[in-house]
Amino acid sequence: MKAYELLYFVAPSADEESRKRITDRINGALEGKGQIDNVEEWGKRKLAYEVERLAEGEYTLIDFHANPDAIAELDRVLRITDACVRHMIVCRTDRD
C-alpha cells in the first residue's frame, strides 16, 4: 500500500454532523482497501480566493495508506458529496 494525503474543506457554516458524514464516507470508500493513519482538524482558514461565494473554509487533513485502485473510488465519492467544497489527494512517497 502507498501513503496518501487528503486535504478537503467544507463551508464554515456546516455543522458537525456534515463533517462526520464526510469522514464516514471516506472510511467507507477505504474499507478493505486501505487504512487511515491520522486525522487533523485544521479548523477555519481564509481561502486565497472565493470558491462558491465562500471566503473561508473548515479544513481537514487525513493521512492514510491505500491501494492505488482505491484512490479513484475515493475521488468519486468526494466529488459527489455536496458538503465537501474542494478536495485534493496527494501521493506521499516520503512516507511509504
Side-chain angles (χ1 to χ4, degrees), residues 11-69:
S13 60
D15 57 352
E16 186 65 34
E17 185 179 316
S18 296
R19 289 191 288 267
K20 176 76 170 127
R21 279 195 307 254
I22 292 175
T23 305
D24 291 342
R25 283 187 150 190
I26 291 169
N27 288 338
L30 291 176
E31 191 162 319
K33 299 177 183 178
Q35 68 181 36
I36 294 178
D37 300 328
N38 188 26
V39 177
E40 292 181 33
E41 298 286 336
W42 285 5
K44 193 182 295 188
R45 302 263 175 130
K46 185 175 178 180
L47 302 176
Y49 54 90
E50 284 191 8
V51 176
E52 296 181 15
R53 297 185 182 184
L54 296 174
E56 296 179 328
E58 288 276 343
Y59 281 85
T60 304
L61 176 72
I62 300 176
D63 294 320
F64 64 97
H65 282 79
N67 295 325
D69 60 334

